[in-house]
Amino acid sequence: MFAAYRIAALLGVSALAVAVAQAQTAGPPEAGPTASPPAANALPPVTIDAPAVQRPRPRVATPRPTGPATTARARNTGRDAGLPSIGTPLDEITVTSTKTETTAIDALGGASVVSRDQLDAIQPSRISDILQQVPGVTTQESRNDPAQAINIRGLQDFGRVNVLVDGARQNFQSTGHGANGVFYLDPELVGGIDITRGPVSTIYGSGAIGGVVSFRTRGIDDILKPDEMAGVVQRIGAGTNGYGVVNSTSAGVRLPNNAATAFGQFVYRDNYVYRDGAGILIRDTDSELRSGNVKITANPAEGHQLTATALIQKFDFTNNGTSQTGSRFQSALDTDTYTLGYRFTPPDMPLIDLSIKGYYTSTYDLRTLLNPTTTYTQLGARPGRQISVDLRTSGFDIFNTSRFDTGPVSHAFTFGGDGVFDTVTTTDQAGGFTGAFTPSGRRDLTGAFIQDEMRFGGWLRAVGAVRYDSYSLSGGPFSSEGTRVSPRGTIGVSPFPWFEVFGTYAEGYRAPAISETLISGNHPFPAFQILPNTALRPETAHNLEGGINLKFDDVLRRGDAFRAKAVVFTNEVDDFINIQGVGPINYYAVTPSVALNALCAGRRAPFGPCQIPLQAQQYVNIARANLSGVEVEAAYDWGDGFASLAYSHTEGENAQTKVTLLTIPPDKVAGTVGLRFLDRRLTVGTRIVYNDARKNVPASTIIPNTKQYTLVDLFAAYDYSDAIRADVTLSNVFDVRYTKYLDLDRSPGFQARGALTFKFATR
């Protein structure tokens, strides 16, 4: 079935590309001339954060800022002055692959951007809701915890995917039955998401052998137009089946001549317990959030910019574990992110484009035991006892981009360094399991890099980069360290303005995490040991990928736009770190339960106990993990409507045993179609997401096999005026009962969501 879907998707995109090429060759009636390729020296400017996306109409990205740093915006692809600007998600600006601005369609690799418009259309309560439509990306989550874990191309956990919020790394991790590496971020705070798949983002920090996901929180440009000086945006939303209520209040002011800006946002969300598609209540899926987001920018002189941001989120929720049968804890979780930045871009000095950023993030999870199970009681745990996991990360990112020519070749030469310093402190007065499985310790990651982006004649591009990584890890009497140099090389050839083919070889390096190395303790019922491994070696990824970019304007009518990207990859990870059984196997008779259904499968006696094998577990290096796959993303926008398609297929296995890796997601196909009416103030559409079955899950895991399912959403947005907007979303309209792969709880059934947005602004 996988092969059939892959062939169908590729044939569909190929046929669409041929049709578009024929239409482009013939030319639409009264079509203007084809856009000329960019000049050889038209290298885009560097930017600091993930791309800003401003609604409702994209704007042209300038080749180089002459004053304060500008926010990235979508490119205007419509050339007919009689039509509003038209763009697709692939025309949005991405920066994570090279730290210099380019559109996603021009990125030489798997790059995607999620705009604020897409977030508004879906009205997600979690980040996972919107990432369903991104190829090669999936999530793992526990529905009784607002945390999210991102999986790219089958890789996740312990920093394999580098998650950034306003440029600050998010490294929180607490070992349990869920993901080993999560972040907390409410979608109402997000202004845009920039995604790069694969270990090609050499200059975005150590460990990202899966990819980079960079979140930009909302800022002044999300609520004020360039000619507006002050304003307030109020958004109120509510929904059914657990969605609850959400309030977002944003305000901003811009001083004359853009000398300084100030922005603030307050978000309150109250979700209640939901029911799955069969109407069954999923316990402890309620949560409450109070959050504040502040951004201040000052431009004291031409070419100088100072920035400061503060993001504070406070979550309250009850968690009884993903099994829904464990001890219940009340969690009060605080997560803060602070950044300070300086940007120097003198207008007449192309050799200087300097960015300096420092940041500090902290996540403090305080859990209070409500009602312990027998296992916890036998260890002396009583109601009211507490557990805390405190992870603090400080870091910096410094780089400069110099632009110059050597003969006919134009260069954007970037060099710099970064550092990430994690400190984990765990206290456990309620059983000792968390203290054993999430040990205290410290890990430092530092690195330096150089990168040269080259252009020749408008048809040839190349990227060469080298990164040096160093790490040190310590906890108790143990310490370890290591270094490595990782190269990257990319070539892109564009024989036609509408077609580009590219290929990349890149390596990545991930140091062992504190928990992988130092974890040590006994699992509660069913009891088995989890052993430390101080001999763990770092992972090294060797990624080879190739792809094509297609882009056409004025295809079927003046001002429309078609974009498509297809990527094929293979990623070999040496010394892949995986948890597995070690030592002798013992069999225990247990009574089947929700928590043990997967382990009891095939071993159960009717109405009686089952025999399950138990073995000590340990994180070990396996010689090699092989991952491969294909990703396709296409979009067409004709002004009065739009359509997009995303498809991904990923395979992964232990190269020695040929056993599939647990984190390999099933095939996914996502499509969106929308129409615009009433002078394009009303948008209505549907989103369809198909996930294939995943049935070859490795043995001895509590992750169950999953069935295929298809979700259908309907959405509508109406801009009554520039000051009033209404959004309505009907999610899972057929009330499908399903469980996402890697999740243990069923997802919500049908939900209805609605929101009203009001804006008041002065010029």
Side-chain angles (χ1 to χ4, degrees):
M1 184 175 292
F2 285 170
Y5 286 125
R6 176 166 46 179
I7 292 172
L10 291 175
L11 287 177
V13 171
S14 299
L16 186 56
V18 171
V20 171
Q22 292 174 344
Q24 182 76 8
T25 302
E30 300 181 3
T34 303
S36 59
N41 62 351
L43 286 164
V46 75
T47 189
I48 299 174
D49 297 327
V53 181
Q54 182 169 359
R55 182 167 47 87
R57 295 186 177 96
R59 304 172 68 87
V60 178
T62 58
R64 176 177 169 83
T66 56
T70 57
T71 54
R73 295 181 174 89
R75 183 177 58 184
N76 179 0
T77 58
R79 296 191 298 275
D80 188 338
L83 289 177
S85 300
I86 297 173
T88 75
L90 286 168
D91 281 319
E92 305 288 353
I93 298 296
T94 177
V95 297
T96 56
S97 61
T98 62
K99 284 199 174 180
T100 55
E101 286 183 2
T102 187
T103 57
I105 188 58
D106 290 324
L108 300 178
S112 299
V113 176
V114 178
S115 69
R116 185 64 233 180
D117 270 345
Q118 293 170 280
L119 288 160
D120 286 341
I122 301 301
Q123 299 184 72
S125 60
R126 290 173 174 252
I127 296 295
S128 60
D129 295 340
I130 193 66
L131 293 182
Q132 293 184 74
Q133 62 195 60
V134 180
V137 179
T138 186
T139 58
Q140 180 182 359
E141 57 191 334
S142 299
R143 285 288 177 169
N144 49 24
D145 188 328
Q148 305 275 284
I150 296 181
N151 178 307
I152 296 182
R153 294 181 174 179
L155 291 173
Q156 66 175 73
D157 292 342
F158 298 118
R160 292 186 179 103
V161 174
N162 187 355
V163 176
L164 305 170
V165 174
D166 289 334
R169 190 153 171 166
Q170 309 295 305
N171 286 352
F172 183 73
Q173 179 267 322
S174 179
T175 298
H177 285 166
N180 286 294
V182 297
F183 69 100
Y184 292 83
L185 183 64
D186 190 85
E188 194 63 32
L189 296 162
V190 177
I193 310 172
D194 187 0
I195 301 166
T196 295
R197 299 181 288 276
V200 298
S201 197
T202 310
I203 62 177
Y204 256 96
S206 179
I209 64 174
V212 177
V213 180
S214 182
F215 293 89
R216 179 190 64 82
T217 60
R218 292 200 193 192
I220 192 73
D221 291 324
D222 292 293
I223 65 170
L224 296 184
K225 296 179 181 179
D227 62 340
E228 293 176 337
M229 303 303 294
V232 176
V233 174
Q234 175 64 52
R235 180 178 173 88
I236 302 174
T240 65
N241 194 22
Y243 184 80
V245 298
V246 58
N247 172 87
S248 173
T249 304
S250 302
V253 61
R254 180 185 288 123
L255 297 184
N257 300 319
N258 211 33
T261 64
F263 169 84
Q265 181 186 16
F266 170 76
V267 172
Y268 173 79
R269 185 184 295 272
D270 187 9
N271 294 332
Y272 63 95
V273 179
Y274 69 78
R275 296 180 182 273
D276 68 10
I280 297 175
L281 195 71
I282 308 299
R283 295 182 301 161
D284 288 338
T285 53
D286 53 329
S287 64
E288 184 180 34
L289 164 70
R290 299 173 304 281
S291 178
N293 178 27
V294 177
K295 292 186 174 183
I296 298 174
T297 301
N299 304 303
E302 187 176 23
H304 297 266
Q305 184 177 76
L306 300 171
T307 59
T309 71
L311 174 63
I312 299 171
Q313 299 178 91
K314 296 182 178 295
F315 293 88
D316 291 295
F317 55 95
T318 301
N319 188 330
N320 69 331
T322 51
S323 66
Q324 294 282 328
T325 60
S327 297
R328 298 180 74 240
F329 289 87
Q330 178 67 39
S331 284
L333 187 141
D334 297 344
T335 179
D336 304 336
T337 298
Y338 305 94
T339 73
L340 287 174
Y342 170 68
R343 178 86 179 273
F344 181 43
T345 55
D348 300 322
M349 300 178 65
L351 295 181
I352 300 178
D353 196 341
L354 175 65
S355 170
I356 301 174
K357 172 166 284 189
Y359 60 85
Y360 172 81
T361 67
S362 69
T363 302
Y364 180 73
D365 186 7
L366 179 63
R367 308 169 191 169
T368 302
L369 184 60
L370 298 179
N371 54 324
T373 60
T374 302
T375 302
Y376 278 75
T377 301
Q378 291 174 346
L379 294 173
R382 298 292 182 267
R385 295 288 182 89
Q386 292 185 323
I387 298 170
S388 68
V389 179
D390 186 5
L391 187 143
R392 299 171 184 239
T393 300
S394 57
F396 67 88
D397 185 13
I398 303 173
F399 64 94
N400 180 78
T401 298
S402 299
R403 294 173 174 82
F404 56 91
D405 295 336
T406 56
V409 181
S410 296
H411 301 261
F413 185 79
T414 303
F415 59 94
D418 52 63
V420 181
F421 311 99
D422 289 334
T423 301
V424 179
T425 304
T426 306
T427 62
D428 191 338
Q429 300 174 344
F433 299 115
T434 299
F437 299 156
T438 308
S440 301
R442 179 182 173 91
R443 187 179 69 160
D444 298 342
L445 307 173
T446 57
F449 55 84
I450 57 173
Q451 173 186 272
D452 192 7
E453 297 177 77
M454 296 163 280
R455 294 176 183 256
F456 174 79
W459 62 272
L460 177 64
R461 293 193 288 161
V463 179
V466 176
R467 177 178 177 84
Y468 170 80
D469 278 304
S470 173
Y471 86 92
S472 64
L473 186 153
S474 62
F478 171 77
S479 64
S480 67
E481 58 185 20
T483 62
R484 192 177 192 278
V485 175
S486 303
R488 173 195 174 180
T490 299
I491 294 179
V493 179
S494 181
F496 310 103
W498 49 269
F499 175 83
E500 184 172 35
V501 60
F502 59 86
T504 291
Y505 174 78
E507 295 183 3
Y509 180 73
R510 187 186 75 87
I514 296 171
S515 289
E516 289 175 305
T517 306
L518 303 179
I519 187 172
S520 178
N522 291 314
H523 186 276
F525 179 82
F528 57 86
Q529 280 188 303
I530 302 181
L531 304 174
N533 186 354
T534 57
L536 279 178
R537 298 180 299 277
E539 298 174 338
T540 304
H542 308 267
N543 186 72
L544 182 65
E545 65 181 76
I548 59 173
N549 295 329
L550 299 172
K551 51 182 179 180
F552 300 93
D553 297 325
D554 300 333
V555 181
L556 301 177
R557 58 181 294 179
R558 183 185 295 273
D560 64 4
F562 171 79
R563 305 287 185 263
K565 179 187 289 282
V567 179
V568 178
F569 71 91
T570 177
N571 190 8
E572 297 179 349
V573 183
D574 293 337
D575 292 320
F576 185 77
I577 299 174
N578 195 27
I579 192 167
Q580 65 181 39
V582 294
I585 299 176
N586 299 305
Y587 289 86
Y588 290 85
V590 299
T591 302
S593 67
V594 175
L596 299 175
N597 275 342
L599 292 178
C600 284
R603 305 184 181 95
R604 182 183 305 173
F607 307 105
C610 71
Q611 296 287 330
I612 62 172
L614 293 179
Q615 192 177 18
Q617 301 290 306
Q618 186 181 46
Y619 284 99
V620 300
N621 291 108
I622 63 176
R624 175 173 294 177
N626 293 334
L627 300 101
S628 60
V630 59
E631 300 156 352
V632 178
E633 189 171 9
Y636 176 62
D637 193 318
W638 64 95
D640 292 329
F642 55 90
S644 65
L645 174 70
Y647 165 79
S648 56
H649 166 76
T650 306
E651 298 175 352
E653 64 180 12
N654 182 326
Q656 288 184 326
T657 64
K658 305 303 179 182
V659 174
T660 181
L661 299 178
L662 178 65
T663 53
I664 301 302
D667 283 18
K668 177 175 67 174
V669 181
T672 302
V673 178
L675 298 174
R676 302 180 179 109
F677 302 97
L678 302 179
D679 195 25
R680 302 181 185 174
R681 290 188 174 275
L682 172 64
T683 301
V684 296
T686 182
R687 183 180 73 158
I688 302 175
V689 179
Y690 169 82
N691 282 270
D692 207 350
R694 178 74 156 89
K695 295 184 177 180
N696 59 336
V697 176
S700 68
T701 175
I702 64 172
I703 299 296
N705 294 324
T706 55
K707 300 179 180 179
Q708 65 182 24
Y709 60 90
T710 301
L711 303 177
V712 178
D713 300 335
L714 303 177
F715 59 87
Y718 179 54
D719 286 294
Y720 176 77
S721 67
D722 290 342
I724 302 176
R725 174 186 170 105
D727 292 277
V728 175
T729 303
L730 304 180
S731 176
N732 191 4
V733 294
F734 294 110
D735 216 10
V736 175
R737 190 188 191 203
Y738 70 99
T739 302
K740 287 170 40 185
Y741 180 65
L742 295 178
D743 291 359
L744 294 180
D745 298 322
R746 295 191 184 275
S747 295
F750 170 75
Q751 282 185 336
R753 312 166 189 164
L756 288 174
T757 304
F758 304 92
K759 175 181 176 179
F760 308 90
T762 62
R763 287 178 168 81

